[in-house]
Amino acid sequence: MTTIHVRGLTKRYGPDTVVDDLSFTVEPGQVTGFLGPNGAGKSTTMRIIMGLAAPTAGSATLGDRDYRDLPVPLTEVGALLDAAAVHGSRKAYDHLHALAVSNGLPRRRVEEVLARTGLESVAGKRAGGFSLGMRQRLGIASALLGDPRVLIFDEPVNGLDPEGIRWIRDFMRSLAREGRAVLVSSHLMSEMAQTADHLVVIGRGRLIADTGMSEFLRANGGGTVLVRTPEAGAFALRLTAAGATVRQGPEPSLLVSGMTSDEIGRLAAYHRVTLGELSPQQPSLEDAFMELTKDSVEYQGATA
Amino acid sequence: MTTLATAPGVPEEPDAWEAPRAPGTPVVTFAHTLRAEWIKLRSLRSTWYTLACLLTVGLGITALSMSSAGQDYTGGTAAERAAWDPAGLSLTTYIVAQLVIAVLGILVVTSEYATGLMRTSLTATPRRHRLLAAKVVVATAVAMVAGQVLMFSSFFLGQLLLSGQHVPGAALGDPGVLSAVTGGGLYLAAIALLAVGLGTLMRATAGALATLVGIVFLVPAVSGLFPSWLQGLFDYWPTKGAAAVFTTVTDPAYPHPWLNLGGMCLGIAAVLAAAFLVFRRRDV
């Protein structure tokens, strides 16, 4: 069973600290979402795990070995770091064939991964003519060549259409179900909510949260109720008096926290307030994330 | 000091005492890396275009330059006739051919940086020296074959054109001829090797090619301007002393052409050593 261990990882480029004393673990059998705003250090961390960049301090190991010490790396770790990282004038089949040969894998594996990613019909075409979605599939195909126990995807859904996004999402879930460790980075929180079992959140290279998805949502986003009523102003005062926190929701509604929808409904009945809508809000990972990382966004736009 | 980089000199091969692998698990050797690099090289159209260009341009220049070379002999003085070198003349196309063959060597490395493929290659083969060594071997082997083919065909084409002009030509069996022709092919392969080294150091096609043009064209062109203590270097410089191997009439300045070629190869080995060093250490 291979697990990714990141321990005290630090990477500095000159004066810039891109990854700062980062520690986390990626366990097999689940999808671990690696979240952070752009520039948080996700890609750098992944490149260090893959032995492409050397850490300034700390370590990133697979099991207890450095990536560079793996005897047959493709059979242990598969990675999609950059879908554009193929030579555009090489045919998809030749690209995969060369990779397979470099790790002593049989030619039949090339056909198998082409089939699994649905690329058989374009195997003889040059990768330069591929759409982004097809390139992503080709990248995933090369990651799967050695049937590895650990998979690493860097922003795999970036720029994909809804169909492609759904395909990748289902695909990652099925890989985790097969008992593999899957680490997938994204800056799209909504994407992670539907894919990941575990979350590692970083900002400015530092660990912000390392927690299960449901715990994360419960702790950070939960518990607001949307209330729609013609007497919004008056009812807001009564809610506040009852101890709730009220924010202005989308016109003309109120976002109430600190009270359950049940309690709000009873309060409305008691004061004979007509309610047009009373709906508990799904805790939004997006909000939770914004809340967590607002101090660690590298470049913040001025709020109007 | 970095944690991932191991100290130089640590053996690259998987250790023999490693835990026994499950049956069916492949064992990766240098031969695998070599074969993978060959598949990569042969699956690019640009490889074959470059090789076709090498032969077309190389032989085209031979055809053009040899079609009227006979006049130099018939209209020349006795001294010029004594220095008449029909074999060397038919090989002068190397001046341009070395540029084309260098493009091949440069692209073996820089095309991977340009497309980002280098990251994929290094995840498949994280032992970096092994990857670069495979690239060096494959590029040099292809350049060696292409260089020899070009030199032999250029020699025969040149002699054919000379014989049509009724001036003395050369045969492969003549003294020094076979050595000049095969030495020419070696020279071209060495230039391709230099190109691989420069491509690795520069990581960009334009930069590597500009440097190479500087080395093989510009520096020889302005060599007279360099101080005298540097002049000894030009005995082993491409297009200068090292190109003495193409001649069959001994140039008094370079009595031992193979020594000059050997010197150039030593210099190229130094460039390659630097390339191996930075290739291992740099982040990609």
PDB file of all heavy atoms in Angstrom, chain A residues 11 47 50-54 58 67 70 72-73 84-85 90 98 103-104 126, chain B residues 3-4 26 32 36 40 43-45 115-117 120 123-124 126-128 283-284:
ATOM      1  N   LYS A  11       9.896  25.076   0.111  1.00  0.00           N
ATOM      2  CA  LYS A  11      10.564  25.382  -1.151  1.00  0.00           C
ATOM      3  C   LYS A  11      10.676  26.891  -1.289  1.00  0.00           C
ATOM      4  O   LYS A  11       9.683  27.606  -1.233  1.00  0.00           O
ATOM      5  CB  LYS A  11       9.756  24.810  -2.330  1.00  0.00           C
ATOM      6  CG  LYS A  11      10.350  25.129  -3.692  1.00  0.00           C
ATOM      7  CD  LYS A  11      11.605  24.336  -3.943  1.00  0.00           C
ATOM      8  CE  LYS A  11      12.181  24.610  -5.338  1.00  0.00           C
ATOM      9  NZ  LYS A  11      13.472  23.941  -5.527  1.00  0.00           N
ATOM     10  N   ARG A  47       5.148  18.878  -7.917  1.00  0.00           N
ATOM     11  CA  ARG A  47       6.385  18.671  -8.670  1.00  0.00           C
ATOM     12  C   ARG A  47       7.482  18.126  -7.757  1.00  0.00           C
ATOM     13  O   ARG A  47       8.321  17.335  -8.186  1.00  0.00           O
ATOM     14  CB  ARG A  47       6.821  19.983  -9.339  1.00  0.00           C
ATOM     15  CG  ARG A  47       6.037  20.255 -10.614  1.00  0.00           C
ATOM     16  CD  ARG A  47       6.310  21.622 -11.164  1.00  0.00           C
ATOM     17  NE  ARG A  47       7.723  21.899 -11.250  1.00  0.00           N
ATOM     18  CZ  ARG A  47       8.278  23.064 -10.969  1.00  0.00           C
ATOM     19  NH1 ARG A  47       7.521  24.070 -10.578  1.00  0.00           N
ATOM     20  NH2 ARG A  47       9.559  23.232 -11.079  1.00  0.00           N
ATOM     21  N   MET A  50       6.942  14.491  -7.260  1.00  0.00           N
ATOM     22  CA  MET A  50       7.319  13.740  -8.456  1.00  0.00           C
ATOM     23  C   MET A  50       8.814  13.816  -8.766  1.00  0.00           C
ATOM     24  O   MET A  50       9.251  13.387  -9.835  1.00  0.00           O
ATOM     25  CB  MET A  50       6.552  14.264  -9.676  1.00  0.00           C
ATOM     26  CG  MET A  50       5.050  14.138  -9.588  1.00  0.00           C
ATOM     27  SD  MET A  50       4.498  12.449  -9.315  1.00  0.00           S
ATOM     28  CE  MET A  50       5.014  11.674 -10.834  1.00  0.00           C
ATOM     29  N   GLY A  51       9.586  14.407  -7.864  1.00  0.00           N
ATOM     30  CA  GLY A  51      11.029  14.457  -8.071  1.00  0.00           C
ATOM     31  C   GLY A  51      11.463  15.424  -9.158  1.00  0.00           C
ATOM     32  O   GLY A  51      12.601  15.382  -9.614  1.00  0.00           O
ATOM     33  N   LEU A  52      10.566  16.301  -9.602  1.00  0.00           N
ATOM     34  CA  LEU A  52      10.929  17.237 -10.669  1.00  0.00           C
ATOM     35  C   LEU A  52      11.605  18.479 -10.117  1.00  0.00           C
ATOM     36  O   LEU A  52      12.365  19.141 -10.806  1.00  0.00           O
ATOM     37  CB  LEU A  52       9.682  17.637 -11.465  1.00  0.00           C
ATOM     38  CG  LEU A  52       9.021  16.494 -12.217  1.00  0.00           C
ATOM     39  CD1 LEU A  52       7.696  16.941 -12.824  1.00  0.00           C
ATOM     40  CD2 LEU A  52       9.941  15.987 -13.315  1.00  0.00           C
ATOM     41  N   ALA A  53      11.286  18.802  -8.865  1.00  0.00           N
ATOM     42  CA  ALA A  53      11.935  19.928  -8.213  1.00  0.00           C
ATOM     43  C   ALA A  53      12.456  19.434  -6.871  1.00  0.00           C
ATOM     44  O   ALA A  53      11.880  18.524  -6.280  1.00  0.00           O
ATOM     45  CB  ALA A  53      10.948  21.075  -8.020  1.00  0.00           C
ATOM     46  N   ALA A  54      13.548  20.011  -6.433  1.00  0.00           N
ATOM     47  CA  ALA A  54      14.140  19.585  -5.168  1.00  0.00           C
ATOM     48  C   ALA A  54      13.664  20.518  -4.062  1.00  0.00           C
ATOM     49  O   ALA A  54      13.641  21.728  -4.236  1.00  0.00           O
ATOM     50  CB  ALA A  54      15.661  19.617  -5.272  1.00  0.00           C
ATOM     51  N   GLY A  58      12.803  19.620   4.245  1.00  0.00           N
ATOM     52  CA  GLY A  58      11.724  18.657   4.381  1.00  0.00           C
ATOM     53  C   GLY A  58      11.765  17.605   3.295  1.00  0.00           C
ATOM     54  O   GLY A  58      12.728  17.506   2.544  1.00  0.00           O
ATOM     55  N   TYR A  67      10.806   9.755  -4.797  1.00  0.00           N
ATOM     56  CA  TYR A  67      10.361   9.376  -6.137  1.00  0.00           C
ATOM     57  C   TYR A  67      11.531   8.923  -6.999  1.00  0.00           C
ATOM     58  O   TYR A  67      11.439   7.961  -7.742  1.00  0.00           O
ATOM     59  CB  TYR A  67       9.636  10.549  -6.806  1.00  0.00           C
ATOM     60  CG  TYR A  67       9.001  10.150  -8.112  1.00  0.00           C
ATOM     61  CD1 TYR A  67       7.711   9.639  -8.138  1.00  0.00           C
ATOM     62  CD2 TYR A  67       9.692  10.244  -9.319  1.00  0.00           C
ATOM     63  CE1 TYR A  67       7.124   9.229  -9.325  1.00  0.00           C
ATOM     64  CE2 TYR A  67       9.113   9.846 -10.512  1.00  0.00           C
ATOM     65  CZ  TYR A  67       7.835   9.341 -10.504  1.00  0.00           C
ATOM     66  OH  TYR A  67       7.264   8.931 -11.674  1.00  0.00           O
ATOM     67  N   LEU A  70      12.471   5.217  -6.980  1.00  0.00           N
ATOM     68  CA  LEU A  70      11.561   4.152  -7.389  1.00  0.00           C
ATOM     69  C   LEU A  70      12.178   3.420  -8.574  1.00  0.00           C
ATOM     70  O   LEU A  70      12.547   4.038  -9.560  1.00  0.00           O
ATOM     71  CB  LEU A  70      10.201   4.740  -7.794  1.00  0.00           C
ATOM     72  CG  LEU A  70       9.462   5.532  -6.715  1.00  0.00           C
ATOM     73  CD1 LEU A  70       8.161   6.086  -7.266  1.00  0.00           C
ATOM     74  CD2 LEU A  70       9.177   4.662  -5.515  1.00  0.00           C
ATOM     75  N   VAL A  72      10.790   1.246 -10.789  1.00  0.00           N
ATOM     76  CA  VAL A  72       9.942   1.298 -11.988  1.00  0.00           C
ATOM     77  C   VAL A  72       8.816   2.292 -11.688  1.00  0.00           C
ATOM     78  O   VAL A  72       7.703   1.910 -11.342  1.00  0.00           O
ATOM     79  CB  VAL A  72       9.372  -0.088 -12.328  1.00  0.00           C
ATOM     80  CG1 VAL A  72       8.755  -0.071 -13.719  1.00  0.00           C
ATOM     81  CG2 VAL A  72      10.454  -1.152 -12.264  1.00  0.00           C
ATOM     82  N   PRO A  73       9.095   3.592 -11.811  1.00  0.00           N
ATOM     83  CA  PRO A  73       8.186   4.611 -11.258  1.00  0.00           C
ATOM     84  C   PRO A  73       6.753   4.549 -11.791  1.00  0.00           C
ATOM     85  O   PRO A  73       5.814   4.752 -11.029  1.00  0.00           O
ATOM     86  CB  PRO A  73       8.859   5.935 -11.640  1.00  0.00           C
ATOM     87  CG  PRO A  73       9.917   5.602 -12.607  1.00  0.00           C
ATOM     88  CD  PRO A  73      10.299   4.190 -12.391  1.00  0.00           C
ATOM     89  N   ALA A  84      -0.812  19.739 -21.450  1.00  0.00           N
ATOM     90  CA  ALA A  84      -0.176  20.191 -22.683  1.00  0.00           C
ATOM     91  C   ALA A  84       1.204  19.569 -22.864  1.00  0.00           C
ATOM     92  O   ALA A  84       1.847  19.780 -23.888  1.00  0.00           O
ATOM     93  CB  ALA A  84      -0.063  21.707 -22.671  1.00  0.00           C
ATOM     94  N   ALA A  85       1.643  18.778 -21.876  1.00  0.00           N
ATOM     95  CA  ALA A  85       3.010  18.266 -21.908  1.00  0.00           C
ATOM     96  C   ALA A  85       3.165  17.055 -22.811  1.00  0.00           C
ATOM     97  O   ALA A  85       3.645  16.009 -22.402  1.00  0.00           O
ATOM     98  CB  ALA A  85       3.479  17.941 -20.488  1.00  0.00           C
ATOM     99  N   ARG A  90       3.730  14.315 -32.296  1.00  0.00           N
ATOM    100  CA  ARG A  90       3.874  12.881 -32.093  1.00  0.00           C
ATOM    101  C   ARG A  90       2.486  12.260 -31.956  1.00  0.00           C
ATOM    102  O   ARG A  90       1.605  12.842 -31.340  1.00  0.00           O
ATOM    103  CB  ARG A  90       4.711  12.611 -30.842  1.00  0.00           C
ATOM    104  CG  ARG A  90       5.197  11.179 -30.745  1.00  0.00           C
ATOM    105  CD  ARG A  90       6.172  11.007 -29.587  1.00  0.00           C
ATOM    106  NE  ARG A  90       7.522  11.430 -29.928  1.00  0.00           N
ATOM    107  CZ  ARG A  90       8.254  12.268 -29.205  1.00  0.00           C
ATOM    108  NH1 ARG A  90       7.777  12.778 -28.115  1.00  0.00           N
ATOM    109  NH2 ARG A  90       9.469  12.589 -29.584  1.00  0.00           N
ATOM    110  N   ALA A  98       6.373   4.999 -26.209  1.00  0.00           N
ATOM    111  CA  ALA A  98       7.705   5.359 -25.711  1.00  0.00           C
ATOM    112  C   ALA A  98       7.730   5.341 -24.189  1.00  0.00           C
ATOM    113  O   ALA A  98       8.679   4.838 -23.567  1.00  0.00           O
ATOM    114  CB  ALA A  98       8.106   6.737 -26.235  1.00  0.00           C
ATOM    115  N   ASN A 103       9.658   2.102 -19.212  1.00  0.00           N
ATOM    116  CA  ASN A 103       9.487   1.425 -17.929  1.00  0.00           C
ATOM    117  C   ASN A 103       9.319  -0.076 -18.097  1.00  0.00           C
ATOM    118  O   ASN A 103       8.856  -0.761 -17.187  1.00  0.00           O
ATOM    119  CB  ASN A 103       8.286   2.004 -17.168  1.00  0.00           C
ATOM    120  CG  ASN A 103       8.685   3.202 -16.319  1.00  0.00           C
ATOM    121  OD1 ASN A 103       8.542   3.218 -15.118  1.00  0.00           O
ATOM    122  ND2 ASN A 103       9.232   4.213 -16.982  1.00  0.00           N
ATOM    123  N   GLY A 104       9.665  -0.582 -19.270  1.00  0.00           N
ATOM    124  CA  GLY A 104       9.613  -2.019 -19.494  1.00  0.00           C
ATOM    125  C   GLY A 104       8.209  -2.592 -19.466  1.00  0.00           C
ATOM    126  O   GLY A 104       8.026  -3.772 -19.175  1.00  0.00           O
ATOM    127  N   ARG A 126      -1.993  12.785 -34.438  1.00  0.00           N
ATOM    128  CA  ARG A 126      -0.985  13.584 -33.742  1.00  0.00           C
ATOM    129  C   ARG A 126      -1.631  14.381 -32.618  1.00  0.00           C
ATOM    130  O   ARG A 126      -2.691  14.964 -32.783  1.00  0.00           O
ATOM    131  CB  ARG A 126      -0.285  14.511 -34.724  1.00  0.00           C
ATOM    132  CG  ARG A 126       0.471  13.707 -35.736  1.00  0.00           C
ATOM    133  CD  ARG A 126       1.218  14.525 -36.756  1.00  0.00           C
ATOM    134  NE  ARG A 126       1.533  13.672 -37.897  1.00  0.00           N
ATOM    135  CZ  ARG A 126       2.514  12.777 -37.905  1.00  0.00           C
ATOM    136  NH1 ARG A 126       3.282  12.646 -36.862  1.00  0.00           N
ATOM    137  NH2 ARG A 126       2.719  12.019 -38.958  1.00  0.00           N
TER     138      ARG A 126
ATOM    139  N   THR B   3      17.331  17.418  -0.675  1.00  0.00           N
ATOM    140  CA  THR B   3      17.126  16.061  -0.191  1.00  0.00           C
ATOM    141  C   THR B   3      16.965  15.075  -1.335  1.00  0.00           C
ATOM    142  O   THR B   3      17.404  13.943  -1.255  1.00  0.00           O
ATOM    143  CB  THR B   3      15.865  16.007   0.686  1.00  0.00           C
ATOM    144  OG1 THR B   3      15.630  17.311   1.181  1.00  0.00           O
ATOM    145  CG2 THR B   3      16.064  15.047   1.825  1.00  0.00           C
ATOM    146  N   LEU B   4      16.295  15.551  -2.414  1.00  0.00           N
ATOM    147  CA  LEU B   4      15.980  14.611  -3.493  1.00  0.00           C
ATOM    148  C   LEU B   4      17.207  14.273  -4.323  1.00  0.00           C
ATOM    149  O   LEU B   4      17.346  13.162  -4.799  1.00  0.00           O
ATOM    150  CB  LEU B   4      14.897  15.193  -4.395  1.00  0.00           C
ATOM    151  CG  LEU B   4      13.486  15.073  -3.824  1.00  0.00           C
ATOM    152  CD1 LEU B   4      12.466  15.551  -4.837  1.00  0.00           C
ATOM    153  CD2 LEU B   4      13.190  13.649  -3.426  1.00  0.00           C
ATOM    154  N   PRO B  26       8.144  -5.441 -14.271  1.00  0.00           N
ATOM    155  CA  PRO B  26       9.268  -5.211 -15.173  1.00  0.00           C
ATOM    156  C   PRO B  26      10.488  -4.681 -14.435  1.00  0.00           C
ATOM    157  O   PRO B  26      10.373  -4.063 -13.386  1.00  0.00           O
ATOM    158  CB  PRO B  26       8.722  -4.168 -16.146  1.00  0.00           C
ATOM    159  CG  PRO B  26       7.597  -3.512 -15.434  1.00  0.00           C
ATOM    160  CD  PRO B  26       7.046  -4.509 -14.472  1.00  0.00           C
ATOM    161  N   HIS B  32      16.088  -0.128 -21.948  1.00  0.00           N
ATOM    162  CA  HIS B  32      14.705   0.349 -22.057  1.00  0.00           C
ATOM    163  C   HIS B  32      14.673   1.835 -22.359  1.00  0.00           C
ATOM    164  O   HIS B  32      13.928   2.295 -23.216  1.00  0.00           O
ATOM    165  CB  HIS B  32      13.954   0.075 -20.750  1.00  0.00           C
ATOM    166  CG  HIS B  32      13.630  -1.361 -20.520  1.00  0.00           C
ATOM    167  ND1 HIS B  32      14.227  -2.102 -19.536  1.00  0.00           N
ATOM    168  CD2 HIS B  32      12.785  -2.200 -21.155  1.00  0.00           C
ATOM    169  CE1 HIS B  32      13.754  -3.336 -19.570  1.00  0.00           C
ATOM    170  NE2 HIS B  32      12.885  -3.421 -20.550  1.00  0.00           N
ATOM    171  N   ALA B  36      13.216   3.642 -25.672  1.00  0.00           N
ATOM    172  CA  ALA B  36      12.167   4.658 -25.577  1.00  0.00           C
ATOM    173  C   ALA B  36      12.596   5.934 -26.300  1.00  0.00           C
ATOM    174  O   ALA B  36      11.811   6.545 -27.030  1.00  0.00           O
ATOM    175  CB  ALA B  36      11.856   4.955 -24.111  1.00  0.00           C
ATOM    176  N   LYS B  40      10.881   7.771 -29.519  1.00  0.00           N
ATOM    177  CA  LYS B  40      10.531   9.190 -29.519  1.00  0.00           C
ATOM    178  C   LYS B  40      11.114   9.896 -30.735  1.00  0.00           C
ATOM    179  O   LYS B  40      10.448  10.686 -31.391  1.00  0.00           O
ATOM    180  CB  LYS B  40      11.080   9.852 -28.254  1.00  0.00           C
ATOM    181  CG  LYS B  40      10.264   9.637 -27.017  1.00  0.00           C
ATOM    182  CD  LYS B  40      10.698  10.682 -26.015  1.00  0.00           C
ATOM    183  CE  LYS B  40      10.669  10.200 -24.607  1.00  0.00           C
ATOM    184  NZ  LYS B  40      11.406  11.108 -23.728  1.00  0.00           N
ATOM    185  N   SER B  43       9.538   8.800 -34.108  1.00  0.00           N
ATOM    186  CA  SER B  43       8.118   9.079 -34.287  1.00  0.00           C
ATOM    187  C   SER B  43       7.839  10.554 -34.555  1.00  0.00           C
ATOM    188  O   SER B  43       6.688  10.958 -34.610  1.00  0.00           O
ATOM    189  CB  SER B  43       7.327   8.600 -33.068  1.00  0.00           C
ATOM    190  OG  SER B  43       7.748   9.298 -31.911  1.00  0.00           O
ATOM    191  N   LEU B  44       8.884  11.341 -34.722  1.00  0.00           N
ATOM    192  CA  LEU B  44       8.680  12.756 -35.053  1.00  0.00           C
ATOM    193  C   LEU B  44       9.013  12.982 -36.517  1.00  0.00           C
ATOM    194  O   LEU B  44      10.072  12.585 -36.992  1.00  0.00           O
ATOM    195  CB  LEU B  44       9.573  13.648 -34.191  1.00  0.00           C
ATOM    196  CG  LEU B  44       9.139  13.842 -32.757  1.00  0.00           C
ATOM    197  CD1 LEU B  44      10.103  14.774 -32.051  1.00  0.00           C
ATOM    198  CD2 LEU B  44       7.728  14.407 -32.693  1.00  0.00           C
ATOM    199  N   ARG B  45       8.111  13.664 -37.211  1.00  0.00           N
ATOM    200  CA  ARG B  45       8.385  13.970 -38.610  1.00  0.00           C
ATOM    201  C   ARG B  45       9.619  14.854 -38.741  1.00  0.00           C
ATOM    202  O   ARG B  45      10.382  14.753 -39.685  1.00  0.00           O
ATOM    203  CB  ARG B  45       7.185  14.671 -39.240  1.00  0.00           C
ATOM    204  CG  ARG B  45       6.082  13.720 -39.636  1.00  0.00           C
ATOM    205  CD  ARG B  45       4.910  14.481 -40.202  1.00  0.00           C
ATOM    206  NE  ARG B  45       4.346  15.380 -39.206  1.00  0.00           N
ATOM    207  CZ  ARG B  45       3.241  16.081 -39.384  1.00  0.00           C
ATOM    208  NH1 ARG B  45       2.602  16.017 -40.528  1.00  0.00           N
ATOM    209  NH2 ARG B  45       2.778  16.867 -38.439  1.00  0.00           N
ATOM    210  N   THR B 115       7.800  21.769 -25.228  1.00  0.00           N
ATOM    211  CA  THR B 115       6.450  21.239 -25.132  1.00  0.00           C
ATOM    212  C   THR B 115       6.078  20.862 -23.707  1.00  0.00           C
ATOM    213  O   THR B 115       4.920  20.568 -23.434  1.00  0.00           O
ATOM    214  CB  THR B 115       6.307  19.975 -26.008  1.00  0.00           C
ATOM    215  OG1 THR B 115       7.314  19.040 -25.607  1.00  0.00           O
ATOM    216  CG2 THR B 115       6.494  20.302 -27.468  1.00  0.00           C
ATOM    217  N   GLY B 116       7.028  20.869 -22.796  1.00  0.00           N
ATOM    218  CA  GLY B 116       6.735  20.446 -21.419  1.00  0.00           C
ATOM    219  C   GLY B 116       6.867  18.943 -21.247  1.00  0.00           C
ATOM    220  O   GLY B 116       6.698  18.419 -20.157  1.00  0.00           O
ATOM    221  N   LEU B 117       7.187  18.256 -22.356  1.00  0.00           N
ATOM    222  CA  LEU B 117       7.305  16.803 -22.312  1.00  0.00           C
ATOM    223  C   LEU B 117       8.418  16.349 -21.370  1.00  0.00           C
ATOM    224  O   LEU B 117       8.379  15.236 -20.841  1.00  0.00           O
ATOM    225  CB  LEU B 117       7.568  16.282 -23.730  1.00  0.00           C
ATOM    226  CG  LEU B 117       7.672  14.779 -23.901  1.00  0.00           C
ATOM    227  CD1 LEU B 117       6.360  14.116 -23.519  1.00  0.00           C
ATOM    228  CD2 LEU B 117       8.034  14.431 -25.335  1.00  0.00           C
ATOM    229  N   THR B 120       7.151  14.896 -18.241  1.00  0.00           N
ATOM    230  CA  THR B 120       6.633  13.542 -18.405  1.00  0.00           C
ATOM    231  C   THR B 120       7.782  12.551 -18.512  1.00  0.00           C
ATOM    232  O   THR B 120       7.771  11.485 -17.897  1.00  0.00           O
ATOM    233  CB  THR B 120       5.748  13.468 -19.659  1.00  0.00           C
ATOM    234  OG1 THR B 120       4.873  14.590 -19.659  1.00  0.00           O
ATOM    235  CG2 THR B 120       4.925  12.207 -19.677  1.00  0.00           C
ATOM    236  N   THR B 123       9.308  11.946 -15.167  1.00  0.00           N
ATOM    237  CA  THR B 123       8.519  11.144 -14.231  1.00  0.00           C
ATOM    238  C   THR B 123       8.639   9.672 -14.620  1.00  0.00           C
ATOM    239  O   THR B 123       8.616   8.806 -13.753  1.00  0.00           O
ATOM    240  CB  THR B 123       7.032  11.553 -14.193  1.00  0.00           C
ATOM    241  OG1 THR B 123       6.604  11.846 -15.500  1.00  0.00           O
ATOM    242  CG2 THR B 123       6.807  12.743 -13.337  1.00  0.00           C
ATOM    243  N   ALA B 124       8.767   9.404 -15.923  1.00  0.00           N
ATOM    244  CA  ALA B 124       8.926   8.010 -16.339  1.00  0.00           C
ATOM    245  C   ALA B 124      10.342   7.513 -16.065  1.00  0.00           C
ATOM    246  O   ALA B 124      10.553   6.352 -15.765  1.00  0.00           O
ATOM    247  CB  ALA B 124       8.596   7.864 -17.821  1.00  0.00           C
ATOM    248  N   PRO B 126      13.095   8.906 -13.705  1.00  0.00           N
ATOM    249  CA  PRO B 126      13.592   9.923 -12.776  1.00  0.00           C
ATOM    250  C   PRO B 126      15.105   9.909 -12.596  1.00  0.00           C
ATOM    251  O   PRO B 126      15.652  10.880 -12.083  1.00  0.00           O
ATOM    252  CB  PRO B 126      12.870   9.604 -11.471  1.00  0.00           C
ATOM    253  CG  PRO B 126      12.315   8.250 -11.613  1.00  0.00           C
ATOM    254  CD  PRO B 126      12.278   7.884 -13.043  1.00  0.00           C
ATOM    255  N   ARG B 127      15.767   8.825 -13.027  1.00  0.00           N
ATOM    256  CA  ARG B 127      17.231   8.826 -12.981  1.00  0.00           C
ATOM    257  C   ARG B 127      17.703   9.673 -14.145  1.00  0.00           C
ATOM    258  O   ARG B 127      17.760   9.230 -15.288  1.00  0.00           O
ATOM    259  CB  ARG B 127      17.759   7.402 -13.081  1.00  0.00           C
ATOM    260  CG  ARG B 127      17.495   6.617 -11.813  1.00  0.00           C
ATOM    261  CD  ARG B 127      17.896   5.180 -11.980  1.00  0.00           C
ATOM    262  NE  ARG B 127      17.881   4.477 -10.715  1.00  0.00           N
ATOM    263  CZ  ARG B 127      16.777   3.957 -10.171  1.00  0.00           C
ATOM    264  NH1 ARG B 127      15.626   4.066 -10.796  1.00  0.00           N
ATOM    265  NH2 ARG B 127      16.827   3.355  -9.003  1.00  0.00           N
ATOM    266  N   ARG B 128      18.040  10.915 -13.832  1.00  0.00           N
ATOM    267  CA  ARG B 128      18.214  11.903 -14.890  1.00  0.00           C
ATOM    268  C   ARG B 128      19.411  11.632 -15.771  1.00  0.00           C
ATOM    269  O   ARG B 128      19.358  11.847 -16.977  1.00  0.00           O
ATOM    270  CB  ARG B 128      18.322  13.297 -14.263  1.00  0.00           C
ATOM    271  CG  ARG B 128      17.046  13.692 -13.573  1.00  0.00           C
ATOM    272  CD  ARG B 128      17.097  15.110 -13.126  1.00  0.00           C
ATOM    273  NE  ARG B 128      15.805  15.511 -12.576  1.00  0.00           N
ATOM    274  CZ  ARG B 128      15.487  16.755 -12.317  1.00  0.00           C
ATOM    275  NH1 ARG B 128      16.343  17.709 -12.537  1.00  0.00           N
ATOM    276  NH2 ARG B 128      14.304  17.040 -11.825  1.00  0.00           N
ATOM    277  N   ASP B 283      15.690  22.178 -11.388  1.00  0.00           N
ATOM    278  CA  ASP B 283      14.262  21.869 -11.315  1.00  0.00           C
ATOM    279  C   ASP B 283      13.675  21.969 -12.715  1.00  0.00           C
ATOM    280  O   ASP B 283      14.113  22.794 -13.510  1.00  0.00           O
ATOM    281  CB  ASP B 283      13.547  22.892 -10.412  1.00  0.00           C
ATOM    282  CG  ASP B 283      13.900  22.708  -8.945  1.00  0.00           C
ATOM    283  OD1 ASP B 283      14.616  21.742  -8.636  1.00  0.00           O
ATOM    284  OD2 ASP B 283      13.472  23.529  -8.131  1.00  0.00           O
ATOM    285  N   VAL B 284      12.685  21.136 -12.993  1.00  0.00           N
ATOM    286  CA  VAL B 284      11.984  21.277 -14.265  1.00  0.00           C
ATOM    287  C   VAL B 284      10.500  21.525 -14.007  1.00  0.00           C
ATOM    288  O   VAL B 284       9.994  21.221 -12.958  1.00  0.00           O
ATOM    289  CB  VAL B 284      12.132  20.040 -15.174  1.00  0.00           C
ATOM    290  CG1 VAL B 284      13.496  20.019 -15.793  1.00  0.00           C
ATOM    291  CG2 VAL B 284      11.843  18.769 -14.428  1.00  0.00           C
TER     292      VAL B 284
END
